[in-house]
Amino acid sequence: MIFKKRTHTCGELRLTDINSQITLNGWVSKKRDLGGLLFIDIRDRYGLTQIKIAPENTEAYTKAIKLGQEFVISVSGKVIKRESINKNIPTGEIEIEVSEIEVLNESEVPPFVIEEDVKASDELRLKYRYLDIRRKNISDNLILRSKVSHIVHRYFEKNNFVEIETPVLMKSTPEGARDYLVPSRVHKGKFYALPQSPQIYKQILMVSGMDRYVQICKCFRDEDLRADRQPEFTQIDLEMSFVTQDDVFEILEGMFGEIWKEVKGIELPVKFRRMTYDEAMKNYGSDKPDLRIRGDMKIENLSEIVKNSEFKVFQDALSVKAGVVAGIKLSGKEVTRKIIDSLTDFIKKLGFGGLGYLKYNSDGTVQSPMTKFLTEEILTGIKELFKAENGDTVFILSGENLKVLQSLGSLRLKFAEDFKLTDETIYEFLWVTDFPLFHYDEEEKRFFAEHHVFTMPKDEYIKFLDSRDKDEVESIRANCYDLVLNGHEITSGSIRIHKPDIQKKVFDMIGLTDEEAKMKFGFILEAFRYGAPPHGGAAVGYDRVIAILAGLKSITDTIAFPKTLRATSLMDECPSEVSGIQLEELGIEISKPAVKQ
RNA sequence: GGAGUCGUAGUUCAGUUGGUUAGAACGCCUGACUGUCACUCAGGAGGUCGCGAGUUCGAGUCUCGUCGAUUCCGCCA
């Protein structure tokens, strides 16, 4: 098909282009028919330009009058100054006096109007994603994503990293998340797995001497989804040899520094704040604290102050070994009966009997259902600890340590949201370090690796690898770290075990026999026997980073073709059934679901 | 796997205590209008109230089931 190709995009013409003869290609966005004069906004991904068609130009006018929304057109004409300026768009000072118009393609009436402030539901937008992407709000995210990708590639090349592609069809390793499986036709009854991350390959590449590896890669996890979790997502995956934790931090700080500088024009600190996991849990009840919250709202431990209290709820909590009484202060907000009730509801859903509170009224009195159980000394102690002033409210929970801290952490976030205490204009990066290596699972009565089985314990804890005492084992801290941004985990990594004896002890701890270890991880263990260098790395949750840069709550709109929470694609309707022949070739039979009565 | 919210015109929504012919806005179609930019004005078409069952003289409205979207917990780095 021959057509007049564009000389400019729909976003670039300005006053300086006046009198130029130009051609634009794009979509009909809006038509304003004044009976005689006809104005049309023509759109492409660069912007919007108004074209003017006068009835005197009979041929162009007859064509133009019949144009519908989303028709694809080529218009040629002269750039002229507008009689009345539109300040809302960059091309608002000019318009095109059309001499010639060509319809390149017609369009059916779209199922929703393509405009920035779209009214359509997510469901409809996903079904017609190609129309959704015509909206600037979405296309800008994809363009941003591409820009960051270029920055990342450039940065790592400059830092002497090698970009290596690792297999998408790999061996299923049952540790961690559920794998997506791909049946093998050649080996009936056997399956490949799609990578949850290229973890094992990148460590083997370190054994190969590749030294500094990076890859922006797709990862897959067959788990239930959330707003910030898609079944397939993207990581910036990296691994380095002969490094310590600080070297990995430095490389990533540099990377985020460049991204923020180029995308946001913001200079990030050269080094990010750091906090240990234990500090984060103790102060914020979370391993990914949001540090943007005004007043910080740290959790305070009240166990010492109330230990002699006769209040039964506190006594019960403190009588068990891991029991604690702790609280959090909400400053200067009017806490009504209604708010207390809704907070109590919130806390009850987390498994508590109730929520204690001390409300310091403006007249100096203290309002609380607990005052009658607490002595003057205790009340003073609490008030002093929190530096509570009139108008503040202190909320108190008691029970098992971790649960109390996490729940106060949730409460902290809820306060931040309900009372708008978060400074949305800043970016708070934070390294959380020294994660526990293991946790004990009460149901399965065994230890599990907190991060993954190749994580190196910190030197001073290696002695506990032979212990089986729950407290001792759970006290082991690892060379394992997360990077947290505004309360979101955006990077996770560790220094890996490169010594076979330590690796064996870790396998022993999680109850993996030599034989099982060999079956699951044999190839990597074998590789490690041939001179594995000390190494470590991390993986950056790319979709989340883009979402934060774009100011989005969900990662969905950072992805061109995302899936729903039930892991389907509404546009192409996958997953879908396959033919009997396809199944037969794979040696697969579908078991019939039990008929419901 | 569990809990919540939502599902009514092409779209976004309203629809009272269960009661006659289910409404609005935008979009669409027709007509008028030569400086609009959310153009304006006049008229018109457009409905399996997600689907199925039940209660009832009568269901968009109540009950149960089911499907889909979404938020959270479990799960997941």
Side-chain angles (χ1 to χ4, degrees), chain A residues 212-272:
Chain A
R212 292 185 151 205
Y213 144 94
V214 72
Q215 182 183 195
I216 298 185
C217 63
K218 271 287 179 74
C219 303
F220 307 84
R221 287 179 192 154
D222 189 2
E223 293 292 346
D224 288 346
L225 307 170
R226 289 286 190 283
D228 62 351
R229 273 193 239 154
Q230 283 271 320
E232 48 178 309
F233 60 100
T234 305
Q235 285 188 347
I236 304 170
D237 193 49
L238 63 120
E239 195 76 9
M240 303 160 77
S241 289
F242 311 115
V243 292
T244 60
Q245 181 171 292
D246 284 356
D247 299 308
V248 179
F249 285 11
E250 200 183 315
I251 276 291
L252 284 167
E253 284 161 347
M255 182 194 80
F256 284 110
E258 291 222 352
I259 294 172
W260 255 252
K261 190 166 75 190
E262 289 199 36
V263 172
K264 291 274 170 192
I266 292 173
E267 290 281 347
L268 295 180
V270 178
K271 286 193 176 302
F272 298 160

Side-chain angles (χ1 to χ4, degrees), chain A residues 30-41 50-56 61 64-65 83-84 95:
Chain A
K30 205 100 194 185
K31 205 165 94 179
R32 290 177 293 276
D33 177 4
L34 272 58
L37 268 187
L38 177 59
F39 295 100
I40 292 173
D41 291 335
Q50 171 166 287
I51 63 173
K52 185 186 88 174
I53 305 115
E56 290 74 33
Y61 189 78
I65 207 78
E83 284 186 21
S84 54
E95 65 191 358

